[in-house]
Amino acid sequence: RISIPMCVSASADGSAKIWEITEDMMEISKSHRSLPSDGLDASNAPTTPEMGSNPQNLTNAQSESISAPSSTLLQPKLTLVGHYRGINDVAFSPTAAYLATASDDKTLRLWDVSRGSSGDALVEFRGHSNFVFSCKFNPQSNLLVSGSFDETVKLWDIRCGECVSTLPAHSDPVTGVDFNRDGTCIVSGSQDGLIRVWDTATGECLKTVYAEGNPPVGCVRFSPNGKYVLAGTLDSKLRLWNVAGRYGKTGESTSAFNYLNTRVTPTGGKCSKTYAGHENRRFCAFATFSSVNPLRQYVVSGSEDGKVYLYDLQRRLVKQTLAGHDDAVLAVDAHDSLELIASGGMTKDKTVRFWTTTNIPEDEIVSQVETEK
């Protein structure tokens, strides 16, 4: 794995930029809790984020939300140009040697990051009939999954660029896809409100879950152990679904001591946790897990109020809000081995910011929002 942390951002201008976070920058981040990068001309926000479009108050909150300090401009290591319309999603391969981009030009592209140059894409994946909104590599780095506004999920062979499987997955645009930890399952989410788990090898739909009221799904993400799916919906909620066990019963209680480890009761289809406090009713806002430190396990979410929300994974409470963006935050991600979070703002902001979670006190709660389990 590449030793220097890297972040990729994508933009409506059709470019993707790769940023390196050096050790010196990390020290600044630890001192200030954030390492902003004002003035960047790219953000990792979808170019077609508003649900239903075709391209294109925290309760009892206190004042301890963290704001960004004075900015130090970062320069991108690489700028990748090739798409002729905006890029909606980006994904590193597990080794960070390759990068995939999904675009409104109805294609995906594969880039060789290890070469350290801004050359042409290695492979162009064609087959979707509408905007490609999401993409992810499998753990073996030989397959790429994509979700599109054409309502399908496609599986691609990385080596030749051929589509090996097409799943007629949903009745509305597919807004999120992900592989589980061993690549045997795929999860997809859609504006139709459904979250579906698929067998990668056979294309069989193993499970379908949805929230009460069937709110449109904006993002989906498997938990690190592959037993749960985190889904963001346009009712300003994140839900953690237990999807373990192909024939599991719904409604059965599950162990709650750690949702990121492997000791999980194999039931399925149950909403185990609900997180509320952020604002998300118009756009597809990303969410992810930050689980490097067992003492600081968070669900991280973007929000339309311009903040990044960190929820305590177990207690479902808002642990911290990170302020600094001047527009809705639709893109967030967390490093898989460092306590480092990246966030990207929308049109009025156009910045990528990097945050460390190392200085957040264990007992600090910004807001206690009463939510359902």
Side-chain angles (χ1 to χ4, degrees):
R1 183 175 296 272
I2 296 176
S3 58
I4 299 177
M6 294 193 302
C7 174
V8 60
S9 61
S11 171
D13 65 9
S15 71
K17 295 181 185 292
I18 297 176
W19 314 87
E20 285 189 343
I21 313 301
T22 66
E23 187 173 340
D24 290 342
M25 295 173 186
M26 287 292 291
E27 289 303 316
I28 294 174
S29 182
K30 290 177 182 178
S31 300
H32 297 283
R33 298 194 187 177
S34 76
L35 178 63
S37 48
D38 283 345
L40 303 184
D41 60 354
S43 70
N44 191 18
T47 61
T48 58
E50 187 158 3
M51 299 298 278
S53 67
N54 289 328
Q56 297 282 358
N57 311 317
L58 277 180
T59 306
N60 301 321
Q62 301 171 6
S63 60
E64 292 100 87
S65 62
I66 300 303
S67 299
S70 301
S71 300
T72 300
L73 290 178
L74 306 182
Q75 297 301 318
K77 174 187 176 183
L78 291 175
T79 299
L80 306 175
V81 179
H83 291 288
Y84 62 88
R85 298 192 69 174
I87 299 174
N88 293 310
D89 198 10
V90 290
F92 274 115
S93 66
T95 61
Y98 298 99
L99 174 73
T101 52
S103 171
D104 281 351
D105 65 12
K106 306 177 188 178
T107 72
L108 299 103
R109 298 189 185 218
L110 180 70
W111 310 84
D112 187 349
V113 179
S114 63
R115 292 189 307 183
S117 62
S118 304
D120 294 334
L122 297 178
V123 183
E124 184 175 342
F125 305 87
R126 293 183 173 272
H128 281 295
S129 60
N130 209 328
F131 321 121
V132 189
F133 203 77
S134 55
C135 63
K136 283 292 185 300
F137 284 92
N138 71 338
Q140 296 76 23
S141 297
N142 64 328
L143 295 175
L144 185 69
V145 65
S146 61
S148 168
F149 270 47
D150 64 11
E151 303 173 5
T152 69
V153 171
K154 287 183 180 291
L155 200 60
W156 308 87
D157 187 316
I158 294 297
R159 295 164 296 182
C160 62
E162 295 292 327
C163 177
V164 298
S165 179
T166 298
L167 307 177
H170 294 275
S171 59
D172 277 311
V174 179
T175 52
V177 291
D178 195 16
F179 281 101
N180 66 346
R181 63 183 299 177
D182 61 5
T184 57
C185 291
I186 295 167
V187 65
S188 63
S190 167
Q191 289 187 23
D192 63 13
L194 302 182
I195 302 156
R196 286 187 161 145
V197 179
W198 308 85
D199 186 294
T200 303
T202 67
E204 178 185 359
C205 182
L206 304 177
K207 198 175 301 292
T208 299
V209 297
Y210 55 90
E212 183 179 358
N214 209 41
V217 178
C219 70
V220 288
R221 179 70 66 94
F222 268 111
S223 64
N225 69 358
K227 307 294 185 180
Y228 294 84
V229 167
L230 179 67
T233 48
L234 269 72
D235 56 357
S236 296
K237 292 182 180 180
L238 294 163
R239 293 176 177 87
L240 192 65
W241 294 91
N242 180 355
V243 296
R246 180 173 177 180
Y247 302 106
K249 299 176 182 178
T250 59
E252 191 171 322
S253 63
T254 61
S255 172
F257 77 92
N258 191 339
Y259 281 86
L260 298 181
N261 67 17
T262 57
R263 295 171 60 187
V264 182
T265 305
T267 60
K270 176 182 173 60
C271 179
S272 301
K273 299 278 187 181
T274 300
Y275 308 88
H278 62 289
E279 297 179 16
N280 185 204
R281 297 189 180 276
R282 298 180 58 201
F283 306 107
C284 293
F286 294 174
T288 191
F289 296 95
S290 177
S291 57
V292 175
N293 188 331
L295 299 179
R296 287 190 284 266
Q297 294 189 333
Y298 303 126
V299 168
V300 184
S301 174
S303 178
E304 291 167 10
D305 64 4
K307 298 176 183 177
V308 179
Y309 283 71
L310 275 62
Y311 292 96
D312 185 285
L313 178 69
Q314 299 293 346
R315 293 186 288 172
R316 315 186 310 278
L317 306 175
V318 178
K319 184 74 170 180
Q320 190 61 265
T321 59
L322 308 177
H325 290 283
D326 296 323
D327 203 351
V329 178
L330 302 188
V332 294
D333 206 354
H335 199 275
D336 59 4
S337 60
L338 298 173
E339 295 188 75
L340 183 66
I341 293 170
S343 59
M346 270 192 72
T347 308
K348 296 178 182 179
D349 182 74
K350 296 182 181 178
T351 69
V352 178
R353 293 177 181 267
F354 304 95
W355 314 81
T356 181
T357 61
T358 55
N359 287 344
I360 298 177
E362 294 308 313
D363 58 350
E364 180 179 350
I365 296 293
V366 171
S367 174
Q368 182 163 327
V369 181
E370 293 297 329
T371 67
E372 58 190 291
K373 183 178 179 181

